[in-house]
Amino acid sequence: MINVLKSMAITFAMYSKLPVRSFEWKKENMKYCLLFLPVVGIVEGIFLVLFSIFLSKLKVNSFLVAAILTALPILYTGGIHMDGFLDTMDALGSNQTREKKLSILKDSNSGAFAIIGGLVYILLYFAGMLSVNNFTKIYMLAISYMLIRAYSALSLTVFKNARGKGLAFEFANKSLIYINRIVLLLFICFGSVAMIAVNVNYGLLCSIAAFLVFLFYRVKSFEEFGGITGDLAGYFLQLAELVIVLVLALAP
């Protein structure tokens, strides 16, 4: 039980800005880290709903609400997934060899493609949030934070690692792979069912969209990089969140 709690603390310390104690990255402390990534998403979803209710009660201007809810996921995570998205945009935009693209992923400097990709992302997300104007859609987005993180964590336990080292490899290598896979699949099923239970049409659209982005992420990662990395998992997570927002914005 102690190791489970330590795994949860490590996951929240790594993937959120919540003030939790972190523990040494020993194998026994990291067995269950990946299966707690969707739980990080559950807490984020709760914050989204609470902020939405609070801002609605105050009758805050819709543009300001959209701006706050656009910033919320980045502030909550500390930008760790956005960092992966921006690094991936630089690598994909370079049109270099696979080895060079992998080295660009590790480069801490931001290139032109990262800046352009980040600006386009924020613009589209903000515009989408302006149209996510009812609480049914907010609930869908909140659930999607859990669903997408379950997919992202699952990819680390199923897909080949492009480098055979790094942060993502460390988490996967020290986890109980089969237990994590089963629990993460249950999270995916639960998230999809929860969405459909809230609203059948929105739920089906969002569940299918998340799965299609997951397939795109798998194909693109192997085609361009020969596997996945932690940055690519972050790229998937951010891309899937944007797609879900746009799907909800376009849905009647």
Side-chain angles (χ1 to χ4, degrees), residues 15-117:
Y15 293 107
S16 80
K17 299 306 288 183
L18 295 180
V20 297
R21 178 187 171 187
S22 187
F23 293 88
E24 186 180 350
W25 284 27
K26 297 189 294 186
K27 189 175 181 67
E28 58 267 27
N29 294 343
M30 298 181 69
K31 290 179 180 179
Y32 309 100
C33 280
L34 290 178
L35 64 82
F36 281 108
L37 189 54
V39 181
V40 175
I42 291 173
V43 176
E44 182 180 354
I46 292 171
F47 278 121
L48 175 71
V49 173
L50 292 177
F51 269 91
S52 299
I53 293 172
F54 178 70
L55 295 171
S56 175
K57 294 291 185 183
L58 292 180
K59 301 187 184 303
V60 176
N61 179 276
S62 60
F63 280 87
L64 183 55
V65 172
I68 292 171
L69 298 185
T70 296
L72 177 63
I74 298 174
L75 295 175
Y76 173 77
T77 62
I80 186 170
H81 306 300
M82 181 59 78
D83 177 68
F85 176 85
L86 297 178
D87 287 341
T88 303
M89 293 304 294
D90 260 344
L92 292 174
S94 70
N95 292 316
Q96 297 292 323
T97 63
R98 180 177 292 177
E99 290 72 23
K100 181 63 176 175
K101 288 175 183 174
L102 285 170
S103 70
I104 291 173
L105 286 179
K106 294 189 295 182
D107 191 345
S108 59
N109 296 310
S110 295
F113 294 108
I115 295 170
I116 294 168

Side-chain angles (χ1 to χ4, degrees), residues 159-176:
F159 298 156
K160 172 189 171 186
N161 188 284
R163 294 197 190 103
K165 59 182 179 179
L167 181 62
F169 180 79
E170 188 83 359
F171 268 82
N173 190 48
K174 291 184 177 180
S175 67
L176 296 177

Side-chain angles (χ1 to χ4, degrees), residues 5 22 35 50-51 78 140 162 177 182 224 232 235 237 239:
L5 294 175
S22 187
L35 64 82
L50 292 177
F51 269 91
M140 287 291 163
I177 293 294
I182 292 169
E224 300 284 349
L232 292 172
Y235 165 78
L237 191 149
L239 183 61

